[in-house]
Amino acid sequence: MSTYKAPLNDMRFVLYDVLGAEREFARLGQADATRDVLDAVFDEAARFTETVLAPLNEIGDRVGCKFDKDTGAVTTPPGFKQAYAQFVEGGWTGLVSPVEFGGQGLPYTAGVPLKEMIDAANLAWGNFPLLSHGATDALLHHGEDWQREVFLKPLVDGTWTGTMCLTEPHCGTDLGLLKTRAAPNEDGSYAITGTKIFITAGEHDMTGNIIHLVLAKLPDAPAGSKGISLFIVPKFKVARDGTQGEANAVRCGSIEHKMGIHGSATCVLNFDGAQGYLIGQPNKGLMAMFTMMNTARLGVGVQGLGLSDRAWQNALRYSRERLQSRSLSGAKFPEKPADPIIVQPDVRRMLLTCKALVEGGRALSYHAGLQVDISELAPTPEERQQADALVGFLTPIVKACLTEWGMECTYNALQCFGGHGYIAEHGMEQLARDARITTLYEGTTGIQALDLLGRKILQLQGAGLKIFLGMITQFCDAESGNEGAAEFIGPLREKTAQWQQLTLQVGQRAMANPEEVGAASYDYLMYSGYVALAYWWARSAAAAHASTHSDAFKRAKLETARFYFARILPRTMTHASAMSSAASTLTALDEAAFDS
Ligand SMILES: Cc1cc2nc3c(=O)[nH]c(=O)nc-3n(C[C@H](O)[C@H](O)[C@H](O)COP(=O)(O)OP(=O)(O)OC[C@H]3O[C@@H](n4cnc5c(N)ncnc54)[C@H](O)[C@@H]3O)c2cc1C
């Protein structure tokens, strides 16, 4: 079985030494978010995730969720329900939710390390509370007063959980195709009818009610994605005064049998005239849903990070213990029958790839989290706007790159185990299977790439990119004399210039041929992720050098940054070259000739 130890030292390094989060929280008026408070929160989160959630990861995979077709009920794996009760008891569900609705009001950023720990310990379990946050956000920003009053408190204190119901059998990426209907009732509510599939936590035994946020079309809705509205549809009806009533006309039809996350219930939900309430304006449901999806997308990026970290921790331990062959330069442990495999450069390549992607990805995603706080709490509208643009720009990068790297890290970590990684005993194949979903749900990597290049760069004139490039330039100017980072400044400046140039080139080609956007988007996204990570590695090396951390820690940061710049950043050359080739390299082949 794989084990998990929360990487508190590195989490704190990123938050306090790299991001200066404590200072930022004070500046943003978050007086309670002191280092003492946060450290105590993270210590307790580590204890909970290591001792309660992590041991349930394997049984969750092996037993999975069970569906009773006679009652439509879903039973979660042994221990999941009790762990959720402990989670609620500990007040974790409302850690970053507003105090006004019973939350603890800590900054959003403080929830990111908690989420990383949960996802690393038990991704499938983590999916049950995950979507309550998205539902809370959607209601906070778009709900009517009575809806906030009635639904937020139980979602925040964990008495109820939330879901996000978009997908239908014929409609995944293209929500304009959805068929679920909402007919007005005389009392101002709506009757929702249709089938949703793949709904995470759509049915379970952990809470007394489940609040579905459902996309549906009103009778007079315009065609396509402009005609979509958002509705609250509780599993058990909830009146406007908050009283919970009889079962609503929504029933789980089945659960999916999947490659991974067996402990997470992925449900078909049949709505048969179920009572629902409109959230926000008619036909503006996608906008409200996007509020929910943005935080969920950052959250899925962190799932990739958590799984990568757990996988690499186990690979490191195994590589130190497993004795095979001798070092190429002669025995390193002559007293043993063979050297541990960690002496082999190729094993180190895999371990360092994981370490570089995990620790760099941590800085990248925690920084995106901090921008969420700044976008809401900064003293001036200009600063809030800037941070908002940055969140929009960083979201597809965090979501897509951290999950793509999640697959790479879990596969590399499995590879370190040799054949022992492929068998179930060590738990490495579970991590690789669990990681696979993260590049698919909440918008596939392809869709994140289109969001980044098509929308955030070309449509919005690259507002977020300009701010990010400005941050890199400022860092390069300020730190060129920093002994811990000087060697990275030149390459970083080069990549910054190339990033601008490539953006201009793609933009020009896109004006002549829109296919160029789709043809360049994946490579543009990955290029962006690798350069962003180079920036975070240079900043990490600089921050480590200036910190009071141990010499070993500083050396590890410096050597990993060197590894990153020498062996991972060059991947940008392939991406730059691929995105610079014309769209015709993808479009020229006639569809009918693919299998000729
Ligand atoms: C375990 C699991 C849990 C899920 N949880 C939820 C949930 O809680 N709520 C919910 O509503 N949904 C959920 N989903 C659905 C998930 O979000 C969708 O599967 C995903 O959005 C992709 O939709 P699709 O499967 O229909 O693929 P499709 O949209 O059919 O896409 C197929 C392929 O075509 C590509 N593609 C499609 N359109 C374009 C385009 N315009 N440009 C470029 N490429 C394109 C995609 O990138 C993908 O590679 C879940 C799915 C799974 C498997």
Side-chain angles (χ1 to χ4, degrees):
M1 205 174 90
S2 72
T3 55
Y4 176 63
K5 182 112 191 74
L8 290 176
N9 198 33
D10 199 57
M11 288 174 160
R12 288 179 176 137
F13 168 71
V14 169
L15 277 177
Y16 307 131
D17 296 296
V18 182
L19 298 176
E22 196 186 12
R23 236 182 9 257
E24 279 296 281
F25 296 151
R27 188 177 72 82
L28 298 173
Q30 292 275 341
D32 290 343
T34 60
R35 185 165 177 158
D36 284 351
V37 168
L38 295 179
D39 280 352
V41 167
F42 298 145
D43 282 344
E44 192 48 29
R47 194 201 59 75
F48 178 74
T49 52
E50 288 167 6
T51 62
V52 179
L53 295 185
L56 297 174
N57 197 41
E58 190 264 339
I59 195 166
D61 184 55
R62 189 160 38 81
V63 176
C65 288
K66 301 285 181 218
F67 176 67
D68 181 336
K69 67 177 179 345
D70 296 327
T71 61
V74 171
T75 308
T76 52
F80 271 40
K81 188 175 167 177
Q82 292 76 3
Y84 184 78
Q86 272 181 266
F87 190 67
V88 169
E89 177 78 28
W92 293 108
T93 52
L95 188 75
V96 301
S97 303
V99 175
E100 178 189 358
F101 296 105
Q104 297 182 43
L106 283 178
Y108 175 87
T109 318
V112 182
L114 167 66
K115 179 143 192 348
E116 183 193 327
M117 292 185 229
I118 292 173
D119 293 333
N122 195 328
L123 179 66
W125 183 93
N127 269 345
F128 288 95
L130 170 70
L131 294 167
S132 301
H133 289 291
T136 306
D137 281 350
L139 282 163
L140 266 175
H141 289 98
H142 305 281
E144 293 174 30
D145 285 347
W146 77 267
Q147 293 172 342
R148 282 199 282 265
E149 203 77 3
V150 166
F151 291 102
L152 279 182
K153 204 175 160 298
L155 281 171
V156 166
D157 70 20
T159 315
W160 298 343
T161 56
T163 73
M164 195 161 127
C165 301
L166 292 76
T167 308
E168 299 180 8
H170 58 283
C171 125
T173 300
D174 185 359
L175 292 169
L177 299 173
L178 69 80
K179 289 183 181 163
T180 298
R181 300 280 148 192
N185 293 325
E186 278 178 4
D187 64 359
S189 67
Y190 292 81
I192 314 292
T193 304
T195 297
K196 297 287 179 182
I197 63 164
F198 295 167
I199 304 307
T200 298
E203 177 58 43
H204 59 76
D205 55 2
M206 290 176 169
T207 55
N209 207 349
I210 302 172
I211 308 304
H212 306 295
L213 262 59
V214 183
L215 287 182
K217 290 200 161 189
L218 291 164
D220 54 353
S225 58
K226 289 201 173 76
I228 297 174
S229 304
L230 181 62
F231 298 86
I232 312 172
V233 186
K235 174 180 165 184
F236 289 98
K237 287 183 183 174
V238 176
R240 285 167 192 261
D241 65 1
T243 23
Q244 186 167 315
E246 61 185 352
N248 210 346
V250 48
R251 190 180 158 104
C252 179
S254 62
I255 58 172
E256 304 295 345
H257 300 279
K258 319 187 282 290
M259 176 178 180
I261 55 167
H262 296 158
S264 171
T266 306
C267 305
V268 173
L269 289 184
N270 297 313
F271 297 85
D272 189 10
Q275 186 187 52
Y277 302 108
L278 180 70
I279 305 180
Q281 297 298 311
N283 304 326
K284 301 277 187 232
L286 266 191
M287 205 178 72
M289 193 53 113
F290 267 112
T291 307
M292 194 165 170
M293 267 153 63
N294 274 335
T295 42
R297 283 178 172 180
L298 285 175
V300 173
V302 173
Q303 293 188 338
L305 171 66
L307 285 171
S308 302
D309 186 42
R310 182 177 184 149
W312 112 263
Q313 285 184 18
N314 283 274
L316 178 61
R317 178 183 43 75
Y318 189 81
S319 301
R320 283 174 170 148
E321 289 166 3
R322 177 71 172 168
L323 303 180
Q324 291 292 295
S325 328
R326 288 292 182 194
S327 161
L328 295 168
S329 53
K332 295 284 182 294
F333 294 85
E335 73 287 3
K336 295 185 176 171
D339 284 337
I341 57 173
I342 197 168
V343 304
Q344 303 298 339
D346 190 57
V347 172
R348 288 169 161 255
R349 171 187 62 77
M350 295 187 280
L351 291 172
L352 278 165
T353 298
C354 293
K355 183 173 167 65
L357 295 178
V358 165
E359 293 176 10
R362 184 168 291 129
L364 173 66
S365 56
Y366 287 18
H367 169 252
L370 188 55
Q371 295 310 310
V372 173
D373 286 317
I374 298 175
S375 73
E376 286 170 5
L377 302 168
T380 65
E382 292 76 32
E383 202 191 344
R384 289 200 293 274
Q385 233 164 28
Q386 274 216 348
D388 195 51
L390 213 42
V391 172
F393 166 71
L394 292 170
T395 297
I397 298 177
V398 169
K399 160 50 169 103
C401 294
L402 263 62
T403 58
E404 291 287 331
W405 296 333
M407 289 199 299
E408 181 175 352
C409 291
T410 52
Y411 268 71
N412 267 332
L414 184 155
Q415 191 77 9
C416 289
F417 280 70
H420 297 271
Y422 190 72
I423 61 169
E425 184 187 341
H426 294 279
M428 301 307 287
E429 54 83 43
Q430 183 194 342
L431 297 178
R433 282 187 288 106
D434 285 355
R436 191 63 191 85
I437 184 59
T438 59
T439 68
L440 295 166
Y441 58 16
E442 288 303 337
T444 58
T445 301
I447 295 308
Q448 303 304 323
L450 279 180
D451 180 42
L452 178 67
L453 182 57
R455 202 174 125 67
K456 307 295 170 43
I457 301 292
L458 299 178
Q459 242 180 55
L460 302 177
Q461 276 99 43
L465 172 67
K466 283 181 201 147
I467 300 166
F468 195 68
L469 289 174
M471 283 170 51
I472 302 182
T473 306
Q474 206 179 10
F475 167 80
C476 289
D477 293 345
E479 300 292 338
S480 53
N482 182 320
E483 238 182 274
E487 64 194 273
F488 308 120
I489 303 292
L492 205 46
R493 282 198 201 278
E494 232 172 77
K495 286 293 159 200
T496 312
Q498 189 186 36
W499 197 352
Q500 278 169 300
Q501 216 174 25
L502 288 166
T503 306
L504 274 177
Q505 279 170 11
V506 175
Q508 274 161 1
R509 293 209 317 269
M511 279 196 279
N513 176 11
E515 297 280 13
E516 294 285 352
V517 180
S521 54
Y522 167 76
D523 290 292
Y524 187 88
L525 169 86
M526 296 311 293
Y527 178 95
S528 305
Y530 286 119
V531 181
L533 219 64
Y535 166 62
W536 285 112
W537 264 111
R539 265 189 73 168
S540 298
H545 183 73
S547 77
T548 54
H549 282 266
S550 68
D551 286 348
F553 183 89
K554 291 179 186 184
R555 183 140 192 86
K557 284 291 175 200
L558 181 62
E559 290 302 340
T560 312
R562 284 178 174 156
F563 167 85
Y564 182 83
F565 273 78
R567 286 183 173 261
I568 297 189
L569 189 59
R571 293 178 188 185
T572 49
M573 290 195 263
T574 308
H575 291 300
S577 171
M579 82 174 91
S580 301
S581 67
S584 59
T585 51
L586 295 171
T587 56
L589 184 60
D590 223 28
E591 185 204 318
F594 260 68
D595 49 2
S596 299

